[in-house]
Amino acid sequence: MKLHMQILIALGLGIKRNWHIFFGIILGIVVGIFLHGHEYPLVSTVLTFIGQVFIRLIQMVVIPLVVSAIVIGITSIGDNKQLGKFGTKMVVYYGIITSIAVAIGAVLALIFKPGVGAAHYIAENAASEVQASVAAAMEQQHNVLNIFLGFIPSNPMHSFAAGDMVPIIVFVLIFAVALAKVGDVNRPIVSFFESVFAATMKITDWIMYFAAPGVFALTASAVSSFGIDIFTSISKYLLVLFIGFMLQLCVVYPLFLKFFSKVNIGMLYSAVAEAMMVAFGTASSSATLPLTIACCEKRGISHKIASFVLPLGATLNMDGTALLQTVAVIFLAQAYGVALTPFLIIEIALLAIIASSTCAGIPGAGLITIALILNGMGLSPEQLVAGFAFLFTIERITDMMRTLVNVTSDAVVVAAIADNENEINYDLLNNPAAYEDIA
Ligand code: ASP
């Protein structure tokens, strides 16, 4: 069977199993279009409230889940050599997927030039100021070391309280490796985290009863705020993003899995369809994480691999975000008439890889860490106000798309690693019917 048919059928199966969430998305789009341009303050307040309840409920379990999953994952792998092997493989796989995403974003943005049409909205003096700043920055290179410094938490409790995921993960990784090293005395604390993990997964099950109304409300309020007209005014930019995301989903991931594993992409997509839909609805990889783990484990990926690779992926692997950031920055450069030299393009691509992986898996984070790329180019977001205004008008919808891509690639990488390590039960993965029986 042709690959695209396999993907469609698999997604169909996944949607059939979770038709209520899919229905929530479609109904959300229809209601959002209807509400756009009308004043129904009560309806918008209620929709925002329902959406926020759903997001807050899932965010509530993220930190306990990430901490317990990483501790269990690392201590169960135990031996140093295996841990090093998994860890390296994970970084390499995530690195490959994100670099391809950035390359696709850059090539598409250079071919379609989405920013050129936006140039007439930008005041001439603003444009020349921006051009001068970029030129000056290109002469003296910037220090990216400070970015890395920020990843080391000087006070982990502060990072926990502030919900800063990257420093939290750095601390928990070091803590878990130390626990693995100290041998049997770690038992009480590891069993403690096993209980925390089990309880948070149970809470996730309960929260998922609320997924359909939650996703409906979030989609409806996002769509009602911009209506469909926005699609025409900024269509080129959206088109470039859409093509880029589709290439990742329908070409890059299937090829990646073919090359590095025996996993059938269709079966994987059918397994994680529910997580993909919730990612789209919530625009948050972290919030979707409990579900991504549940979907992967239910369909045969071992707990050992899933609990180690997915929490890290949900925070560090943001290929959809990297693609968007590359396109967005090239869009701004084109709109402001900045000369896109090969050197500048490579710098944008490298900074996008760093900026995306420092970005938290929460709504809107990707547009904020674009500041890091602009900073590297010698600019501040304030200098690009008019250009940013464009990006913000459609922020939510692009966030929904890029988060779906982010979450899917986490699943692709975890499946490849599980395959390589013989940690996948193919009877479950390749047999959605068997899954229905045990679900
Ligand atoms: N919302 C995205 C995510 O959670 C991050 C971003 O804003 O790009 O994956």
Side-chain angles (χ1 to χ4, degrees):
M1 206 189 319
K2 286 257 179 347
L3 183 67
H4 63 272
M5 279 313 285
Q6 278 181 32
I7 294 178
L8 282 179
I9 291 174
L11 277 176
L13 279 174
I15 289 171
K16 184 172 145 247
R17 206 171 56 237
N18 304 289
W19 64 270
H20 54 294
I21 304 181
F22 187 68
F23 182 69
I25 294 179
I26 301 296
L27 193 65
I29 295 176
V30 173
V31 171
I33 292 174
F34 172 75
L35 286 179
H36 177 66
H38 293 90
E39 288 285 320
Y40 294 116
L42 185 65
V43 180
S44 345
T45 314
V46 172
L47 286 177
T48 314
F49 175 77
I50 298 176
Q52 285 309 312
V53 168
F54 180 55
I55 292 216
R56 291 178 78 111
L57 280 173
I58 27 190
Q59 278 176 345
M60 178 179 84
V61 290
V62 167
I63 291 187
L65 185 83
V66 168
V67 176
S68 56
I70 295 180
V71 169
I72 300 172
I74 291 190
T75 47
S76 68
I77 297 168
D79 113 53
N80 278 337
K81 264 212 219 111
Q82 239 196 343
L83 190 60
K85 210 171 92 196
F86 284 165
T88 317
K89 191 166 263 177
M90 185 185 71
V91 172
V92 170
Y93 282 176
Y94 282 152
I96 294 175
I97 281 196
T98 307
S99 311
I100 297 176
V102 163
I104 290 179
V107 169
L108 289 176
L110 291 171
I111 295 177
F112 288 96
K113 303 191 174 46
V116 171
H120 59 276
Y121 292 102
I122 313 282
E124 219 166 88
N125 52 352
S128 45
E129 194 189 301
V130 166
Q131 290 158 13
S133 307
V134 175
M138 287 301 101
E139 281 179 15
Q140 82 187 79
Q141 274 317 299
H142 281 258
N143 185 356
V144 278
L145 288 182
N146 282 343
I147 300 167
F148 291 104
L149 206 55
F151 294 166
I152 305 174
S154 54
N155 176 355
M157 289 308 149
H158 180 268
S159 310
F160 279 108
D164 293 339
M165 288 316 281
V166 181
I168 292 179
I169 286 197
V170 169
F171 171 72
V172 177
L173 277 176
I174 298 173
F175 181 71
V177 172
L179 274 181
K181 282 253 181 213
V182 295
D184 271 355
V185 284
N186 69 14
R187 271 323 301 163
I189 216 160
V190 174
S191 349
F192 167 80
F193 281 115
E194 280 165 356
S195 311
V196 172
F197 183 81
T200 37
M201 290 307 274
K202 188 84 226 152
I203 301 176
T204 307
D205 269 357
W206 294 335
I207 299 172
M208 281 309 134
Y209 287 118
F210 197 56
V215 165
F216 158 73
L218 289 166
T219 313
S221 28
V223 174
S224 70
S225 67
F226 54 72
I228 24 179
D229 319 347
I230 192 77
F231 288 111
T232 43
S233 55
I234 199 162
S235 55
K236 236 180 177 182
Y237 174 72
L238 272 175
L239 185 71
V240 167
L241 286 179
F242 186 74
I243 298 175
F245 293 147
M246 288 316 272
L247 284 175
Q248 282 294 94
L249 290 169
C250 301
V251 180
V252 177
Y253 302 158
L255 289 179
F256 179 89
L257 284 180
K258 259 218 159 74
F259 204 74
F260 291 108
S261 74
K262 309 184 286 301
V263 175
N264 175 308
I265 186 80
M267 287 301 149
L268 182 70
Y269 282 2
S270 92
V272 296
E274 191 179 1
M276 288 162 82
M277 287 188 274
V278 169
F280 183 81
T282 59
S284 167
S285 321
S286 295
T288 313
L289 175 65
L291 200 62
T292 321
I293 297 182
C295 288
C296 289
E297 290 190 5
K298 276 185 189 160
R299 286 283 288 275
I301 292 174
S302 82
H303 177 62
K304 181 163 132 186
I305 301 286
S307 63
F308 175 57
V309 176
L310 287 172
L312 295 178
T315 317
L316 303 176
N317 174 45
M318 302 271 174
D319 61 329
T321 302
L323 194 153
L324 172 127
Q325 290 179 328
T326 311
V327 174
V329 172
I330 295 181
F331 166 90
L332 291 173
Q334 289 164 343
Y336 283 83
V338 173
L340 281 157
T341 59
F343 179 78
L344 182 58
I345 294 168
I346 292 173
E347 172 157 13
I348 293 175
L350 290 178
L351 287 170
I353 294 176
I354 300 175
S356 65
S357 53
T358 62
C359 134
I362 54 171
L367 210 59
I368 296 168
T369 56
I370 283 187
L372 205 144
I373 309 177
L374 299 176
N375 207 306
M377 295 163 66
L379 291 170
S380 68
E382 292 75 35
Q383 282 179 294
L384 304 167
V385 179
F388 256 103
F390 269 110
L391 303 181
F392 271 113
T393 44
I394 43 153
E395 160 55 9
R396 180 74 193 193
I397 188 76
T398 62
D399 200 3
M400 292 159 106
M401 297 197 282
R402 68 188 186 246
T403 308
L404 185 152
V405 174
N406 290 341
V407 167
T408 311
S409 70
D410 295 340
V412 166
V413 169
V414 83
I417 296 183
D419 167 274
N420 300 168
E421 304 299 326
N422 275 330
E423 292 280 346
I424 190 164
N425 177 344
Y426 275 103
D427 290 342
L428 278 181
L429 182 69
N430 293 338
N431 185 359
Y435 160 71
E436 306 271 2
D437 292 341
I438 59 153

